[in-house]
Amino acid sequence: MPIATVNPANGETLKTYQAMDEEEIERRLQLAEATFRTYRTTAFADRARLLNRAADLLDEDSAEIARVMTTEMGKPVKQARAEAAKCAKAMRWYAENAPGLLADERPAESDVRDSGASRALVRYRPLGPVLAVMPWNFPLWQVVRFAAPALMAGNVGLLKHASNVPQTALYLEDLFHRAGFTEGCFQTLLIGSAAVDEILRDERIKAATLTGSEPAGRAVASTAGEMVKKTVLELGGSDPFVVMPSADVDRAAEVAVTARVQNNGQSCIAAKRFIVHTDVYDRFAERFTEGMRALKVGDPLEEETEVGPLASEQGRADLEELVDDARRSGATVLCGGERPDRPGWYYPPTVLADIDRGMRVHREEAFGPVATLYRAADLDEAVLIANDSPFGLSSNVWTRQEAEVDRFVRDLEAGGVFVNGMTASHPALPFGGVKRSGYGRELSGHGIREFCNITTVWHGA
């Protein structure tokens, strides 16, 4: 895949870039290693000052970088500005909270004595250069939620971003440099996917984090396992959105529309499978379909646009295949389902009903504005349908019954359970999944400690 900005709203190639050669990659690896030796000894206060400055600059650049993101991958520009603001918020959160999250931990005095020590503690130390392989769908947020905690922990980062968002990738490197971080603290590698394996095998790279497809995750995990290096993987998701009879059905249907089409439906944590109790199924289906049908599809640079184009022509083709397979297998198309006759890689908000387990859309992630509707006879069947997926990233549950909430929290196979609301990420809350959605956690204290050497310090009596 070429490294290029191709506007998904019209298919026009705007900028192309040459991949870095081996000499430049080597220079950057050397720089990362050398920078880490000194950056790792800096004080939290100094790191926080730099990260807060990066947040301030990002706020100043918000309108400009939002247009760049929209032009590169098609998200509505209002959502792009919100993404930039969220990144600045996360930077400030880690700048403020990292010292407490990584403070020395001291066991109970009785346990210290029992171990034969006069004193003992646990200290969090940085690992070194971390390779981040990141996707295009949230081209700022995916990177910042790695970079902010990694930099505050004393690590340095090398970013291999998706090849269709090179301008955003270069902006991030420039942002951290303008904020005052030494050049080697955060570097962008303009390389293709084929170059990742060799870089990950380099002894100077100490760990890796990847957000992306399941095949990409397998490849990185395989190499990292062979090299005995720590990895965090956030892969696909096919999140359930369960609606029970006690729920505010109209509100659930309204939120369901946003939960499905956020970021043009190209979000791992977007709700994709809508599992509705039979007592309220018809009402929910009607309201939800009305909402999906009413969405404004158009130029993502226009303020009133709610759904823009998919990020790539191949992405739209993949989505069409899932819908066509479901239709051939007996699914009912309640709205959408046909490619519009216009330039760009648009696909309409689509609702599919009468889904069965043999359809590809039941097993595979629909990465675009396509929702599937399921009817559940009771709570037990709702849980069975929700868990009948290879993925387990997050989940949404709508009910006013606390006993039902307890059951869902206990039984749903997911990294998150959001009750009476849609899944969202926040710097204070851990983010990640189970099953084929990956392993490890980003954000919160759990995320910042993923790339730390958790060190036991023991002093004899």
Side-chain angles (χ1 to χ4, degrees):
M1 181 178 182
I3 301 174
T5 296
V6 181
N7 188 345
N10 55 27
E12 180 184 358
T13 300
L14 302 177
K15 287 190 177 183
T16 58
Y17 296 83
Q18 287 292 323
M20 292 176 177
D21 58 23
E22 292 184 3
E23 182 178 350
E24 178 62 12
I25 293 171
E26 173 61 23
R27 185 188 76 80
R28 288 175 178 253
L29 286 169
Q30 289 181 12
L31 182 59
E33 182 184 44
T35 300
F36 174 67
R37 294 194 197 106
T38 54
Y39 181 70
R40 64 187 294 273
T41 65
T42 58
F44 280 121
D46 293 330
R47 300 173 198 168
R49 175 179 52 80
L50 297 174
L51 197 58
N52 278 319
R53 176 58 179 154
D56 293 342
L57 290 171
L58 181 54
D59 280 338
E60 294 172 11
D61 298 343
S62 176
E64 178 184 353
I65 189 57
R67 289 184 66 86
V68 170
M69 285 192 286
T70 294
T71 301
E72 289 200 307
M73 56 70 58
K75 73 172 72 227
V77 71
K78 288 193 297 186
Q79 295 180 26
R81 289 197 300 271
E83 181 175 339
K86 183 174 185 175
C87 290
K89 177 180 179 179
M91 290 177 181
R92 295 187 178 102
W93 190 88
Y94 270 109
E96 178 181 354
N97 289 286
L101 297 173
L102 298 180
D104 290 349
E105 295 179 7
R106 300 183 185 277
E109 285 297 324
S110 59
D111 291 329
V112 171
R113 291 192 301 270
D114 188 58
S115 73
S118 60
R119 56 193 174 101
L121 58 89
V122 177
R123 178 160 295 171
Y124 295 96
R125 298 187 292 157
L127 289 179
V130 180
L131 175 65
V133 182
M134 293 288 116
W136 47 262
N137 57 335
F138 290 94
L140 276 186
W141 173 240
Q142 305 279 14
V143 178
V144 167
R145 74 185 193 194
F146 143 74
L151 289 169
M152 282 305 300
N155 296 301
V156 301
L158 295 113
L159 168 66
K160 188 282 181 223
H161 218 325
S163 293
N164 61 331
V165 290
Q167 292 185 69
T168 305
L170 291 170
Y171 168 81
L172 283 158
E173 179 181 81
D174 180 64
L175 174 69
F176 287 114
H177 190 248
R178 283 188 290 135
F181 285 95
T182 304
E183 182 186 2
C185 283
F186 185 93
Q187 301 178 81
T188 287
L189 303 177
L190 286 184
I191 57 174
S193 298
V196 169
D197 186 78
E198 184 175 353
I199 293 171
L200 185 53
R201 291 179 183 278
D202 193 288
E203 291 294 340
R204 289 166 291 192
I205 297 295
K206 302 304 181 185
T209 179
L210 177 141
T211 299
S213 69
E214 194 179 331
R218 283 199 192 98
V220 165
S222 177
T223 298
E226 184 181 340
M227 302 303 295
V228 196
K229 294 182 180 181
K230 177 70 178 289
T231 53
V232 170
L233 303 181
E234 193 266 279
L235 308 178
S238 190
D239 291 2
F241 189 106
V242 181
V243 182
M244 298 298 289
S246 66
D248 181 338
V249 175
D250 290 342
R251 177 60 180 161
E254 179 185 359
V255 173
V257 173
T258 303
R260 177 63 285 236
V261 302
Q262 60 175 314
N263 208 49
N264 301 340
Q266 299 167 124
S267 171
C268 295
I269 57 170
K272 300 183 176 77
R273 296 178 297 129
F274 297 83
I275 303 161
V276 186
H277 192 283
T278 189
D279 290 352
V280 292
Y281 178 91
D282 291 340
R283 181 177 170 190
F284 177 89
E286 179 183 0
R287 300 288 195 279
F288 179 54
T289 303
E290 287 174 354
M292 291 284 280
R293 189 183 290 116
L295 289 165
K296 168 69 174 176
V297 179
D299 183 346
L301 288 172
E302 294 180 358
E303 291 293 325
E304 64 272 19
T305 293
E306 296 171 294
V307 179
L310 298 187
S312 70
E313 190 171 17
Q314 184 60 54
R316 181 174 68 174
D318 292 343
L319 195 66
E320 284 180 308
E321 287 181 11
L322 290 181
V323 173
D324 290 345
D325 172 79
R327 183 189 283 116
R328 288 192 302 269
S329 301
T332 303
V333 181
L334 300 183
C335 71
E338 298 292 341
R339 178 196 296 198
D341 183 15
R342 64 184 298 173
W345 302 316
Y346 290 88
Y347 198 80
T350 298
V351 179
L352 303 176
D354 303 314
I355 305 299
D356 68 47
R357 300 184 74 247
M359 296 174 185
R360 286 180 55 200
V361 75
H362 176 76
R363 305 185 307 273
E364 301 176 27
E365 180 179 19
F367 217 59
V370 173
T372 53
L373 272 174
Y374 298 78
R375 188 188 297 265
D378 53 27
L379 185 149
D380 290 334
E381 186 176 18
V383 170
L384 286 173
I385 297 171
N387 289 340
D388 188 23
S389 169
F391 301 107
L393 192 52
S394 189
S395 61
N396 310 258
V397 174
W398 288 74
T399 176
R400 293 189 177 108
Q401 301 294 325
E402 282 302 316
E404 291 182 345
V405 171
D406 291 342
R407 274 287 311 277
F408 284 121
V409 171
R410 186 192 74 182
D411 293 343
L412 288 179
E413 298 168 351
V417 180
F418 285 70
V419 181
N420 296 328
M422 60 179 274
T423 297
S425 54
H426 185 280
L429 300 173
F431 180 86
V434 296
K435 301 197 288 189
R436 293 187 186 177
S437 288
Y439 53 76
R441 290 296 181 266
E442 297 176 287
L443 302 176
S444 76
H446 297 278
I448 197 171
R449 298 184 195 109
E450 287 281 8
F451 296 118
C452 287
N453 175 359
I454 304 171
T455 308
T456 297
V457 182
W458 186 94
H459 293 265

